[in-house]
Amino acid sequence: MKKSILILLVALFVLPTTKADEGMWLLPLLKQQKFAEMQALGLKLQDFDIYDPESASLKDGVVIFGGGCTGEVVSPDGLVLTNHHCGYGQIQQHSTVEHDYLTDGFWAMSREQELPNPGLTVTFIDQIEEVTDYVKKELEKETDPNSMNFLSPKYLNGLAAEKVGEQFLQSNPGTSVEIRAFYGGNKYYMFTKKTYSDVRLVGAPPSSIGKFGADTDNWMWPRHTGDFSVFRIYADAHGNPAAYSETNVPLRPKRWFKISLKGVEENDFAMIIGFPGRTNKYYTSWEVAERRDIDNTVRINIRELRQQAMLEEMLKDPKIRIQYSSKYAGSTNAYKNAIGTNWAIDKRSFEQVKKEEQDKLIAWANKMNKPEYSKALNTLEQIVSDRKDLRFRNWVLDEALARGIEFVRVPTNIQPLVDALQKKDKTVQQEQLLLFEKGYQRFADKDYAIAVDKKISKVLLKEYRRLIPINAQPSYFNVIDQKFKGNVDLFIEHLFDKSIFGSDDNFNRFKAKPSVKALQEDPMILFAKAVMDERNTLTKAIADFDTGYSIAHRTYVKGLLEMYQEKANFPDANSSIRLTYGQVKGYEPRDCDYYGHQTTLEGVMEKEDPNNWEFVVPDKLKALYKAQDYGPYKLSNGKMPVAFCATTHTTGGNSGSPVLNANGELIGINFDRNWEGVGGDIQYLPDYQRSIIVDIRYVLFVIDKYAGASYLLKEMELMNQ
Ligand code: ARG
Ligand code: GLU
């Protein structure tokens, strides 16, 4: 007891800037930065159990799953767990009307039934090496003072390939190397990665479990979602990555997680290893205000309009409701995040917090006679002020028109077809028409409804024209005033009436009799081109600020590192492997209200609403609930656990991450954060921020009792003690 208090006190004094549980720590620095604190909080492992550059450790059981998620290996036969929302695309791909795996779930009852997923990969991190000196030496050869190479993935990965050599990469199939910038380009680490591309779907619960609560509950605690899915990694006979082949065999991984059946108590130690995508801990106060007043405010305003229009149509027509449910979900995900972030910025005075940090640096820099740090701050303030208008225009354009309206994705590259028509080159003409048809079908697919796109585009184009001064709008928009007396509704109707992409009929008529004139005068193509050109113009104009910004940001972070010593700080998330630790804990969302740390099946039944697709409970789950048939997975009070929350510091990309107890055993799968905690991407919120985690016992219960796939549990190592 005394010893741990001492360690805690020491920790508090040595590490002035990090509060309890804050941080997404780099594995190679864990030992020197955080290990003592982790042990004081209850961790029973040694540092090398978690990360060992020489041999297998916990980190070797964690994988990058697909494009932006994390997964964990849970058996010696390459079984992988991740979230339902991470495997969603694959589950959807395999679904048909006859076999609707999204609705009904899917379970392979033998290895032969596991389903291949072209394009899906799983990546292990084999080696991590600090290469700051090497990269800085190379960067010194740079002559252009405005070069952005110090942050350029292309340049840095080139350096990585040079460092290890062509020979190494060729003799190790599936292996790649990359160098990533940390602390804004003050430090560099090289990662050697191994990517497997034969990853098969083993099982997924029905959406009524895996997506229970859907958008209403998204970013919310208390939560009752069984957000998990099961995959398996396959390799060639030597265990090497290989493209899908029937002869491939399940991977024998270096490491897999043991699974704890013991469950969690409030205040238990918990840690998460995963691939957090992006945070902005090193924002200055001006960037905090910019994020709130421009980025988030525009996003909230525009998406509110878009979602309202979408929802009206969805509620009118069940077909449209199904077509647009995923688009609606995608829209609300970032929208809710923006609201939560702005709430935290104000409620927790983020501007003030960052300003205090800046002022501290200025005072220290003055004392140390290092004027470059104050200068960097002045530069950042100036840039944020200078880019204000451009940034606003860009965000409005992006949210309202470029992303908001579906038909701006019509094919706009008409020249090859125009040429072919003029030259009467039938072959090229056919090829080009086919491209147009594909482009048309890409947005006007089975989930597209003209009525919705029309309604949304009318609302959003009006909002765009209200927010952006007329002389800053694309010049093509003049036709709205000149030909339609400013009436946006008429203009949009006209686009759909006249464009070859306005309807299937229009397109088929054009296909039967393509003409140069129809292409060149097509109002939808002209509109889409105007939007895309404007987007390119704005992106370029903003890029002019990016260089100055990135250089000043690097200097600012360098100052903080020097002042605090690197020990006390973690670098912003950049999709590299990190560890966060904390405790299982509930929280007080508002005065005199308290949320516990663990949800149960009782809560699922409380939320049940057979008339609302988001809260339908499958019959079989109800039967298990009625019979209290929970097997060894229940709590000591007899209830069935579903999810729990912890003070760990996570962000997007951490979805699917393994949540581990003090012994390094799997206790859950991370899948979300509470909306009160999303501001933690800028400043960690110890009293509010919680990772939302599906309890591993619920996962096992669904596999075993609900799906009857208990054979899968036989390959796992379940720990009762
Ligand atoms: N909020 C979680 C994350 O940021 C889950 C998103 C998927 N779920 C949903 N209902 N849209 O990505
Ligand atoms: N759902 C997020 C993801 O897909 C994780 C939630 C968060 O941002 O913390 O990565």
Side-chain angles (χ1 to χ4, degrees), residues 198 200 234-237 242-250:
D198 185 353
R200 304 187 195 168
Y234 280 78
D236 70 13
Y244 170 80
S245 155
E246 260 180 56
T247 60
N248 282 351
V249 293

PDB file of all heavy atoms in Angstrom, residues 198 200 234-237 242-250:
ATOM      1  N   ASP A 198      -5.816 -13.519 -47.114  1.00  0.00           N
ATOM      2  CA  ASP A 198      -6.883 -14.524 -47.135  1.00  0.00           C
ATOM      3  C   ASP A 198      -7.513 -14.543 -45.741  1.00  0.00           C
ATOM      4  O   ASP A 198      -7.022 -15.211 -44.827  1.00  0.00           O
ATOM      5  CB  ASP A 198      -6.315 -15.900 -47.518  1.00  0.00           C
ATOM      6  CG  ASP A 198      -7.406 -16.951 -47.677  1.00  0.00           C
ATOM      7  OD1 ASP A 198      -8.579 -16.645 -47.371  1.00  0.00           O
ATOM      8  OD2 ASP A 198      -7.085 -18.082 -48.104  1.00  0.00           O
ATOM      9  N   ARG A 200     -11.154 -14.992 -43.792  1.00  0.00           N
ATOM     10  CA  ARG A 200     -12.504 -15.500 -44.066  1.00  0.00           C
ATOM     11  C   ARG A 200     -13.485 -15.202 -42.939  1.00  0.00           C
ATOM     12  O   ARG A 200     -13.106 -15.187 -41.765  1.00  0.00           O
ATOM     13  CB  ARG A 200     -12.424 -17.016 -44.327  1.00  0.00           C
ATOM     14  CG  ARG A 200     -11.456 -17.302 -45.465  1.00  0.00           C
ATOM     15  CD  ARG A 200     -11.426 -18.730 -45.911  1.00  0.00           C
ATOM     16  NE  ARG A 200     -10.229 -18.953 -46.729  1.00  0.00           N
ATOM     17  CZ  ARG A 200      -9.773 -20.139 -47.094  1.00  0.00           C
ATOM     18  NH1 ARG A 200     -10.424 -21.235 -46.719  1.00  0.00           N
ATOM     19  NH2 ARG A 200      -8.683 -20.244 -47.831  1.00  0.00           N
ATOM     20  N   TYR A 234      -5.953 -17.034 -42.994  1.00  0.00           N
ATOM     21  CA  TYR A 234      -5.367 -18.188 -43.678  1.00  0.00           C
ATOM     22  C   TYR A 234      -4.014 -17.813 -44.266  1.00  0.00           C
ATOM     23  O   TYR A 234      -3.781 -16.659 -44.651  1.00  0.00           O
ATOM     24  CB  TYR A 234      -6.302 -18.682 -44.783  1.00  0.00           C
ATOM     25  CG  TYR A 234      -7.431 -19.533 -44.249  1.00  0.00           C
ATOM     26  CD1 TYR A 234      -8.533 -18.948 -43.628  1.00  0.00           C
ATOM     27  CD2 TYR A 234      -7.391 -20.922 -44.350  1.00  0.00           C
ATOM     28  CE1 TYR A 234      -9.562 -19.726 -43.122  1.00  0.00           C
ATOM     29  CE2 TYR A 234      -8.422 -21.709 -43.854  1.00  0.00           C
ATOM     30  CZ  TYR A 234      -9.507 -21.110 -43.236  1.00  0.00           C
ATOM     31  OH  TYR A 234     -10.514 -21.890 -42.730  1.00  0.00           O
ATOM     32  N   ALA A 235      -3.124 -18.808 -44.338  1.00  0.00           N
ATOM     33  CA  ALA A 235      -1.784 -18.595 -44.880  1.00  0.00           C
ATOM     34  C   ALA A 235      -1.414 -19.775 -45.767  1.00  0.00           C
ATOM     35  O   ALA A 235      -2.135 -20.780 -45.794  1.00  0.00           O
ATOM     36  CB  ALA A 235      -0.790 -18.468 -43.731  1.00  0.00           C
ATOM     37  N   ASP A 236      -0.299 -19.650 -46.460  1.00  0.00           N
ATOM     38  CA  ASP A 236       0.131 -20.807 -47.259  1.00  0.00           C
ATOM     39  C   ASP A 236       0.729 -21.869 -46.321  1.00  0.00           C
ATOM     40  O   ASP A 236       0.792 -21.670 -45.102  1.00  0.00           O
ATOM     41  CB  ASP A 236       1.102 -20.397 -48.374  1.00  0.00           C
ATOM     42  CG  ASP A 236       2.468 -19.969 -47.858  1.00  0.00           C
ATOM     43  OD1 ASP A 236       2.782 -20.214 -46.659  1.00  0.00           O
ATOM     44  OD2 ASP A 236       3.239 -19.384 -48.640  1.00  0.00           O
ATOM     45  N   ALA A 237       1.188 -22.968 -46.895  1.00  0.00           N
ATOM     46  CA  ALA A 237       1.624 -24.092 -46.072  1.00  0.00           C
ATOM     47  C   ALA A 237       2.775 -23.723 -45.136  1.00  0.00           C
ATOM     48  O   ALA A 237       2.980 -24.354 -44.103  1.00  0.00           O
ATOM     49  CB  ALA A 237       2.024 -25.262 -46.969  1.00  0.00           C
ATOM     50  N   ALA A 242      -0.585 -15.224 -48.342  1.00  0.00           N
ATOM     51  CA  ALA A 242      -0.817 -15.654 -49.718  1.00  0.00           C
ATOM     52  C   ALA A 242      -2.220 -15.249 -50.115  1.00  0.00           C
ATOM     53  O   ALA A 242      -3.101 -15.139 -49.265  1.00  0.00           O
ATOM     54  CB  ALA A 242      -0.662 -17.169 -49.820  1.00  0.00           C
ATOM     55  N   ALA A 243      -2.409 -15.038 -51.412  1.00  0.00           N
ATOM     56  CA  ALA A 243      -3.744 -14.722 -51.906  1.00  0.00           C
ATOM     57  C   ALA A 243      -4.658 -15.906 -51.626  1.00  0.00           C
ATOM     58  O   ALA A 243      -4.181 -17.031 -51.409  1.00  0.00           O
ATOM     59  CB  ALA A 243      -3.686 -14.448 -53.407  1.00  0.00           C
ATOM     60  N   TYR A 244      -5.980 -15.669 -51.644  1.00  0.00           N
ATOM     61  CA  TYR A 244      -6.926 -16.736 -51.339  1.00  0.00           C
ATOM     62  C   TYR A 244      -6.653 -17.977 -52.185  1.00  0.00           C
ATOM     63  O   TYR A 244      -6.427 -17.883 -53.391  1.00  0.00           O
ATOM     64  CB  TYR A 244      -8.362 -16.279 -51.600  1.00  0.00           C
ATOM     65  CG  TYR A 244      -9.332 -17.439 -51.535  1.00  0.00           C
ATOM     66  CD1 TYR A 244      -9.779 -17.909 -50.311  1.00  0.00           C
ATOM     67  CD2 TYR A 244      -9.752 -18.096 -52.696  1.00  0.00           C
ATOM     68  CE1 TYR A 244     -10.631 -18.998 -50.226  1.00  0.00           C
ATOM     69  CE2 TYR A 244     -10.604 -19.194 -52.622  1.00  0.00           C
ATOM     70  CZ  TYR A 244     -11.044 -19.637 -51.382  1.00  0.00           C
ATOM     71  OH  TYR A 244     -11.874 -20.719 -51.317  1.00  0.00           O
ATOM     72  N   SER A 245      -6.637 -19.111 -51.535  1.00  0.00           N
ATOM     73  CA  SER A 245      -6.526 -20.369 -52.271  1.00  0.00           C
ATOM     74  C   SER A 245      -7.153 -21.445 -51.409  1.00  0.00           C
ATOM     75  O   SER A 245      -7.055 -21.419 -50.173  1.00  0.00           O
ATOM     76  CB  SER A 245      -5.051 -20.696 -52.528  1.00  0.00           C
ATOM     77  OG  SER A 245      -4.916 -22.095 -52.689  1.00  0.00           O
ATOM     78  N   GLU A 246      -7.800 -22.413 -52.068  1.00  0.00           N
ATOM     79  CA  GLU A 246      -8.432 -23.503 -51.324  1.00  0.00           C
ATOM     80  C   GLU A 246      -7.408 -24.269 -50.514  1.00  0.00           C
ATOM     81  O   GLU A 246      -7.737 -24.874 -49.496  1.00  0.00           O
ATOM     82  CB  GLU A 246      -9.129 -24.443 -52.300  1.00  0.00           C
ATOM     83  CG  GLU A 246     -10.624 -24.198 -52.378  1.00  0.00           C
ATOM     84  CD  GLU A 246     -11.280 -25.145 -53.354  1.00  0.00           C
ATOM     85  OE1 GLU A 246     -11.131 -26.374 -53.180  1.00  0.00           O
ATOM     86  OE2 GLU A 246     -11.915 -24.650 -54.302  1.00  0.00           O
ATOM     87  N   THR A 247      -6.149 -24.264 -50.988  1.00  0.00           N
ATOM     88  CA  THR A 247      -5.128 -25.045 -50.296  1.00  0.00           C
ATOM     89  C   THR A 247      -4.516 -24.298 -49.108  1.00  0.00           C
ATOM     90  O   THR A 247      -3.731 -24.877 -48.372  1.00  0.00           O
ATOM     91  CB  THR A 247      -3.987 -25.435 -51.266  1.00  0.00           C
ATOM     92  OG1 THR A 247      -3.418 -24.222 -51.767  1.00  0.00           O
ATOM     93  CG2 THR A 247      -4.515 -26.266 -52.416  1.00  0.00           C
ATOM     94  N   ASN A 248      -4.877 -23.032 -48.934  1.00  0.00           N
ATOM     95  CA  ASN A 248      -4.364 -22.308 -47.767  1.00  0.00           C
ATOM     96  C   ASN A 248      -4.850 -22.969 -46.477  1.00  0.00           C
ATOM     97  O   ASN A 248      -5.885 -23.641 -46.470  1.00  0.00           O
ATOM     98  CB  ASN A 248      -4.834 -20.853 -47.796  1.00  0.00           C
ATOM     99  CG  ASN A 248      -4.018 -20.011 -48.774  1.00  0.00           C
ATOM    100  OD1 ASN A 248      -3.003 -20.472 -49.296  1.00  0.00           O
ATOM    101  ND2 ASN A 248      -4.472 -18.795 -49.023  1.00  0.00           N
ATOM    102  N   VAL A 249      -4.086 -22.736 -45.421  1.00  0.00           N
ATOM    103  CA  VAL A 249      -4.435 -23.337 -44.131  1.00  0.00           C
ATOM    104  C   VAL A 249      -4.552 -22.242 -43.074  1.00  0.00           C
ATOM    105  O   VAL A 249      -3.973 -21.167 -43.226  1.00  0.00           O
ATOM    106  CB  VAL A 249      -3.356 -24.362 -43.688  1.00  0.00           C
ATOM    107  CG1 VAL A 249      -3.350 -25.554 -44.623  1.00  0.00           C
ATOM    108  CG2 VAL A 249      -1.985 -23.705 -43.625  1.00  0.00           C
ATOM    109  N   PRO A 250      -5.286 -22.519 -41.989  1.00  0.00           N
ATOM    110  CA  PRO A 250      -5.390 -21.512 -40.927  1.00  0.00           C
ATOM    111  C   PRO A 250      -4.007 -21.103 -40.419  1.00  0.00           C
ATOM    112  O   PRO A 250      -3.132 -21.955 -40.255  1.00  0.00           O
ATOM    113  CB  PRO A 250      -6.179 -22.229 -39.835  1.00  0.00           C
ATOM    114  CG  PRO A 250      -7.011 -23.221 -40.572  1.00  0.00           C
ATOM    115  CD  PRO A 250      -6.137 -23.689 -41.712  1.00  0.00           C
TER     116      PRO A 250
END
